Amino acid sequence: MSQKLLDVENLTMKFGGLVAIDNLSFSADKDKITSIIGPNGAGKTTVFNCLTGFYKATAGSMFLNKENERLNLKKFSDFKVAQKAGVARTFQNIRLFPQMSVLENLLVAQHNKLMDASGFTILGLFNSPSFVKKEKEAIEISKYWLDIIGLTHRADDDAGDLPYGDQRKLEIVRAMCINPHLLCLDEPAAGLNAKESAELNKLLLFIKNEKKTGILLIEHDMSVVMEISDHVVVLNYGKKIFQGSSKETKNSPEVIEAYLGTEE
Amino acid sequence: MEKKFFQTSIKDSLFTGLIALALFGPIVGLRTVAKNEVLEVHPKWFIVLIIVIVCAVGRFLTNLYIYNRDQKTGIQSSIGKSISNFLDTKGYQIALTAIIFSVIFPFLPFTDRYLMDIAIMMLTYIMLGWGLNIVIGLAGLLDLGYVAFYAVGAYSYALFAIHFGWSFWICLPIAGIFAAMFGVLLGFPVLRLRGDYLAIVTLAFGEMIRILLLNWYQLTKGPDGLTGIPRPSFFGLPFKSFPDEGEQTFHTFFGIEYDPMQRIIFLYYLILVLALITNLFTIKIRRLPIGRAWEALREDEIACKSLGVNPRNTKLTAFAIGAMFGGFAGSFFATRQAFISPESFTFIESAIIVAIVVLGGMGSQTGVVLATVFLIGLIEVFRDFESYRMIAFGGAMVLIMIFRPRGILATRKPTITLEKSSSK
Ligand SMILES: Nc1ncnc2c1ncn2[C@@H]1O[C@H](COP(=O)(O)OP(=O)(O)OP(=O)(O)O)[C@@H](O)[C@H]1O
Ligand SMILES: [Mg+2]
């Protein structure tokens, strides 16, 4: 069996007396979509916050396996998870830079690379050719992604002025601009209509198949989950209650009970 | 509907009158006079009555004409709109005109010593405004202690110039570096703070520096201040009416009559160049990755972290670079005054600079100029009516906040556009 991209082992996160994640283990494959589902408050977002360094996990370990190294994600604090380990994420409530243009949003995502090219600003001040070239490349990359989500014509508008669905898509491609190994999406389909939802599915499949990026997906919209995920992890009260393919999940009595028991 | 609006307006104005009474009653109405070594109270209720009526009626009128959104005849919707439009679309032309005007200003027929002094002072504030704009406008860090860096720049310039006798062009960068170091020093403890908390700590920092300058007598001469700071020279040629034996001065070198205005004009161009350098630098750096990161940090720090942008370094560079320009301006201040003391670096200076940045429109370079001309000009116009100055100042701010709540020039232009960069 090929090596997993992400290994989460015995992860536990406590807030005071509240156990938000309880001894959770799961793994995610490279070029596969792994969905994390569960009722409200199950601890899904908290898993992301631990993975991406926003919270310090109480116990357990998280490893990211690249071609020839195994990175312990616990060692990285917030921004370094993105910068050094290549784990990108989006947020449950969209976090764009609303007063900056769409293109600028994508350029900020390529900050570290551009910062190096600008010689920590000094070369950049004098328009050094190497910097100008790198900046052009970065614009090309941005344009590539904008073409994919069909927003090229709005590149110079403020991100905050985009319709809701477009903002969601922009946040996803912005995360892709850091060139991640693992992309964590927190409820990307929330608030989308059926058409937008279908476009989102296409985008995620494209990222998985063409970009060979592993995707970790939190989602309430079951049509999205069932249609595109390769593997599903079900959480309830911080515990993993089930894992398997989407079909297995749909028919699992534990899962049905968890949902019916708490939500309806 | 109409009647209800009328009623609430009247209620509101009566309430305003009450507030005015509570405020002005004790302040204006009760005047104490010392008579035969005892204090007597001389009430002046008539004046208070007039003030209260003016406030109440004024409130009623503004309610009717300005805040009444249904009524399209309001001032806001006509004059305000056209001014807004003009400012939004003509920013570039305004800037160009201003630069040309400031270059020829010293040689205009009506320009005299007094106007030159004001112009120099305005340019100093403009430069400070542009420097602080990096910290507040771009990086979104509300810094109320900016005058501290102005002070550090002035004092380090003065100390190096006095004790080592180094020239302006050597001391200037040193002062800038010192100020930048203090910027980092302030930056570290406030990295995790935002908004109000940040404002309070930076305010305290500004006061700390001033108190340090007051009390470190051996180095700063405390409240006595530093005197005898060398005047700047024109590339080694001093401005002196009576040169020493065999000394070349500005007027002997160019073979012209000595005129004290020569030094003033030189100082004017010096601060103009320094300010324009600050401006060019800011315009350029805004388009570099670091500048974009500053703005992104202002918009959403958490999103920045998720994209791998290092918030610590990004904030510290903003503090350091902003402080550096404050330091440059401080050096200029020191050499122009030839005397500095902690008195010049009080909180009110910080407040004025912040007001300039905020009223100008966060992040807008031209806005800083307009706000400076407006505020400093106003202070000057009211110089003879000492006690009304602050009222005028406050009134002006209120007006700007009513008509342009996001600052005089509030539109932000993207730092890069796909259209332009792909047609290149
Ligand atoms: N910073 C925090 N401090 C205290 N408790 C927290 C914190 N973050 C999350 N929690 C708690 O942890 C539990 C899990 O929250 P989490 O946000 O991970 O749920 P979720 O599965 O993402 O839910 P939803 O579907 O509503 O987004 C909740 O009970 C929440 O109140
Ligand atoms: Mg959540």
Side-chain angles (χ1 to χ4, degrees), chain A residues 95 98-99 104 112 127 156, chain B residues 284 299-300 308 412 415 418:
Chain A
R95 284 185 177 275
Q99 294 198 48
E104 285 173 317
N112 287 313
N127 276 337
D156 301 331
Chain B
K284 178 73 197 166
E299 299 283 294
D300 195 328
R412 175 187 179 277
T415 56
L418 193 60

Side-chain angles (χ1 to χ4, degrees), chain A residues 28 35 40 58-59 68 86 118 126 152 189 199 213 224 254-255 258-259 262:
Chain A
S35 289
N40 289 107
T58 316
N68 40 25
S118 78
F126 299 104
T152 316
E199 285 171 5
T213 305
V224 175
E254 295 103 307
V255 179
Y259 269 87
T262 54

